[in-house]
Amino acid sequence: ARNRSWRESVWISIGGRKPGAPIPWLLLSLVLGDVDLLLVVRKMADELELFEQGSDAGSDEVLLTPAELIHQLEEAWLNEKFAPDLLESKSEIVECVIEQLSHMEENLQRAKKGDLKVSIHRMEIERIRYVLSSYLRCRLLKIEKFFPHVVEKEKLRAKEDPSNLSPEEFAFAKHYLESTEKYLKNVALKHMPPNLQAVDLLKSVPKPNLDSFVFLRAKEKQENILIEPETDEQREYTVDLEEGSQHLIRYRTIAPLVASGAVQLI
């Protein structure tokens, strides 16, 4: 790789999903069971370029540093992992990470063979790829588990509302629904009396349990959060979430805060 000084502030274009500039950070992901710890470390050498120089970003694009990009991917991953329902798709972040990983792989091919830094950077690529793959797998598992409700919710969604599914996920969900209906009909339903050959998958497949409890960390102060009573003897009450505080709360109560990014599931 060519010798070039690293910049302290490097930008990646998310909105346009264009190649970003060289990354000055090494993001090491240490996976300990279900806990993933991302450590942001300074650049280890000037010889290895992991990103190609990107073009100027447009005024309508959101610019993030590489560390911020990986941080957003990690937040989306943890929220998706701990939320009982399917969250909004972060397809732009996913596509940007995939594109940048491809550029990193290309530049590693041009690096000097046998260099220790190459092995470390290749390990970093695998760590980022693990987080990305785990995020996508988690979403696919939820789609398979709640497929009739996922498809129905997407069909009833207003055009101005954000979609919870990427186009590829929606195509997968529809195909999964059609395949399940076809399988049930061929294996069982056609052999049953006519009055029992219809099945309502929306009633047969359980919905996401929005009343389950989740752990969260408040990213910003939230006041007057209404807590619904668990029994008839209890009354409604409100709580304030201080920035940085951690809580165990019913998911239905804080679902809008997860969607807005005001809290982080942990």
Side-chain angles (χ1 to χ4, degrees), residues 46-72:
D46 292 339
E47 296 87 0
L48 188 62
E49 291 185 356
L50 297 184
F51 286 88
E52 294 180 353
Q53 180 67 41
S55 57
D56 293 337
S59 59
D60 59 340
E61 295 176 347
V62 179
L63 298 178
L64 298 176
T65 65
E68 291 171 338
L69 173 66
I70 301 303
H71 181 68
Q72 285 202 6

Side-chain angles (χ1 to χ4, degrees), residues 62-260:
V62 179
L63 298 178
L64 298 176
T65 65
E68 291 171 338
L69 173 66
I70 301 303
H71 181 68
Q72 285 202 6
L73 175 63
E74 183 196 22
E75 283 192 347
W77 172 52
L78 293 177
N79 283 340
E80 197 67 61
K81 191 173 184 179
F82 298 125
D85 65 340
L86 188 68
L87 303 180
E88 179 183 348
S89 173
K90 304 295 183 181
S91 56
E92 286 191 345
I93 292 180
V94 169
E95 291 178 17
C96 183
V97 170
I98 292 175
E99 184 177 3
Q100 297 303 330
L101 283 174
S102 176
H103 287 294
M104 292 168 70
E105 288 279 10
E106 292 175 2
N107 286 317
L108 281 178
Q109 295 297 326
R110 299 195 296 268
K112 182 179 179 181
K113 301 298 182 181
D115 194 333
L116 177 61
K117 294 186 294 295
V118 173
S119 299
I120 296 177
H121 286 303
R122 192 173 299 280
M123 181 180 65
E124 160 56 13
I125 291 176
E126 295 303 320
R127 298 295 188 258
I128 298 176
R129 185 176 286 115
Y130 167 80
V131 175
L132 181 62
S133 299
S134 179
Y135 170 72
L136 296 176
R137 282 197 305 269
C138 184
R139 291 185 58 82
L140 288 178
L141 287 175
K142 288 184 179 180
I143 292 174
E144 292 179 354
K145 187 176 182 179
F146 307 117
F147 63 96
H149 307 288
V150 170
V151 174
E152 185 69 13
K153 183 177 180 180
E154 185 67 16
K155 290 181 178 179
L156 298 178
R157 177 181 61 86
K159 292 184 178 180
E160 61 273 12
D161 294 337
S163 174
N164 280 7
L165 300 173
S166 66
E168 296 80 8
E169 289 173 337
F170 186 45
F172 170 78
K174 289 194 299 181
H175 179 71
Y176 193 88
L177 175 61
E178 295 169 356
S179 299
T180 302
E181 292 176 337
K182 184 178 179 181
Y183 176 79
L184 291 175
K185 181 178 180 180
N186 294 335
V187 172
L189 296 179
K190 70 178 183 181
H191 303 295
M192 302 178 71
N195 62 327
L196 298 177
Q197 290 186 0
V199 59
D200 188 352
L201 291 177
L202 287 173
K203 296 180 179 180
S204 303
V205 177
K207 296 181 179 180
N209 182 15
L210 302 183
D211 290 321
S212 60
F213 283 77
V214 295
F215 286 96
L216 64 89
R217 180 187 298 110
K219 298 171 60 179
E220 54 191 54
K221 185 176 181 179
Q222 300 292 322
E223 297 180 345
N224 299 325
I225 304 300
L226 181 64
I227 305 298
E228 298 178 355
E230 298 183 30
T231 63
D232 295 336
E233 292 77 15
Q234 296 178 338
R235 297 182 179 179
E236 296 180 344
Y237 62 96
T238 61
V239 297
D240 295 337
L241 307 182
E242 298 294 334
E243 181 179 354
S245 60
Q246 300 184 17
H247 306 268
L248 176 63
I249 300 181
R250 185 182 301 164
Y251 177 76
R252 188 188 301 274
T253 303
I254 51 87
L257 300 180
V258 175
S260 66

